[in-house]
Amino acid sequence: MWYREALDRAEQAALLADIRAVMAQAPPFTPTMPRTGKPFSVTMTNCGPLGWVSDTSGYRYQSFHPDTRQPWPPVPARLLRLWETYARCPAPPEACLVNYYGPDARMSLHQDRDELDLTAPVLSLSLGDTALFRIGGEERGGKTSSVRLASGDIFVLSGPSRLAFHGVDRILAGTSTLLAEGGRINLTLRRVNPA
Ligand code: MD3
Ligand code: FE
């Protein structure tokens, strides 16, 4: 489900302030690819009881920041309310991954399957510059379609779409004035463990 312009500018600004506070507690880090150690072009942080990290030992969820070793900050109340409204999931999110894309960042086609519970929905919220987002089916190499995810859009992946291949082809620089520094922040709220 794609909820275009779900959030007005004031609500986007309030969420951005919440996320800036998360980033002050848990500074964005540059994940690296398992095995190769190649850095991601996206920087990341998390809030919630668990956070997604990637380094040379692999992808995983853990309860603390990889550099500061501090627990992740809690998920802001405003984000929890969006989960309640849009995710239609009785259990609260356990992880909120915060991705920051500069103008040249991208994310190659992948599936999200590091969660033990693959039946719960994932809620994505976009802030800042528009992303050219690509989504396909459950098999790599299948047909894909492109959508432009703009600031304030909410995308909920549930049912079979939860295992769809997806990625970000590029960021359309200068399409939003929300982030003073430019670029895009994407938040994904997730369950990790079965409720
Ligand atoms: C489809 N993030 O963090 S959000 C990710 O824009 C990720 O930062 C992208 O892919 C971003 O893993 C896409 C939309 C999204 C999120 C999770 C999904 C699409 C998804 C999980 C399953 C299928
Ligand atoms: Fe993903």
Side-chain angles (χ1 to χ4, degrees), residues 42 44 97 99 101 107 110-112 122-126 131 133 135 149 155 157 161-168 184 186-188 190:
V42 174
M44 295 181 175
L97 174 61
N99 294 332
Y101 295 79
M107 191 176 286
H110 66 277
Q111 281 177 306
D112 288 21
V122 173
L123 184 156
S124 152
L125 158 55
S126 299
F133 173 71
I135 186 158
L149 293 183
F155 207 94
L157 293 307
S161 70
R162 175 64 182 75
L163 288 173
F165 276 88
H166 60 279
V168 173
R184 169 174 183 262
N186 182 78
L187 312 175
T188 45
R190 303 147 185 262

Side-chain angles (χ1 to χ4, degrees), residues 142-188:
K143 147 180 173 307
T144 63
S145 40
S146 283
V147 296
R148 288 175 182 225
L149 293 183
S151 197
D153 286 5
I154 290 179
F155 207 94
V156 178
L157 293 307
S158 55
S161 70
R162 175 64 182 75
L163 288 173
F165 276 88
H166 60 279
V168 173
D169 289 338
R170 65 186 188 94
I171 300 300
L172 306 178
T175 46
S176 167
T177 55
L178 185 71
L179 275 62
E181 69 276 43
R184 169 174 183 262
I185 293 174
N186 182 78
L187 312 175
T188 45

Side-chain angles (χ1 to χ4, degrees), residues 17-175:
D18 288 346
I19 293 309
R20 298 259 195 238
V22 163
M23 287 172 162
Q25 292 299 306
F29 59 93
T30 302
T32 56
M33 290 297 291
R35 238 171 43 80
T36 64
K38 184 179 184 284
F40 284 50
S41 58
V42 174
T43 62
M44 295 181 175
T45 188
N46 292 270
C47 51
L50 292 171
W52 188 86
V53 300
S54 178
D55 58 24
T56 48
S57 1
Y59 307 134
R60 63 191 175 275
Y61 282 92
Q62 65 182 38
S63 61
F64 57 91
H65 191 288
D67 300 330
T68 69
R69 302 261 160 197
Q70 291 298 116
W72 303 109
V75 179
R78 191 177 290 276
L79 269 175
L80 292 176
R81 287 199 293 271
L82 291 178
W83 174 267
E84 282 163 19
T85 305
Y86 291 95
R88 305 247 142 71
C89 175
E94 293 173 288
C96 173
L97 174 61
V98 180
N99 294 332
Y100 173 71
Y101 295 79
D104 297 319
R106 48 190 291 283
M107 191 176 286
S108 56
L109 218 59
H110 66 277
Q111 281 177 306
D112 288 21
R113 45 187 326 149
D114 298 323
E115 301 75 25
L116 286 171
D117 182 355
L118 293 172
T119 67
V122 173
L123 184 156
S124 152
L125 158 55
S126 299
L127 296 172
D129 285 339
T130 297
L132 214 46
F133 173 71
R134 183 184 294 274
I135 186 158
E138 289 172 61
E139 254 146 288
R140 191 181 281 283
K143 147 180 173 307
T144 63
S145 40
S146 283
V147 296
R148 288 175 182 225
L149 293 183
S151 197
D153 286 5
I154 290 179
F155 207 94
V156 178
L157 293 307
S158 55
S161 70
R162 175 64 182 75
L163 288 173
F165 276 88
H166 60 279
V168 173
D169 289 338
R170 65 186 188 94
I171 300 300
L172 306 178
T175 46

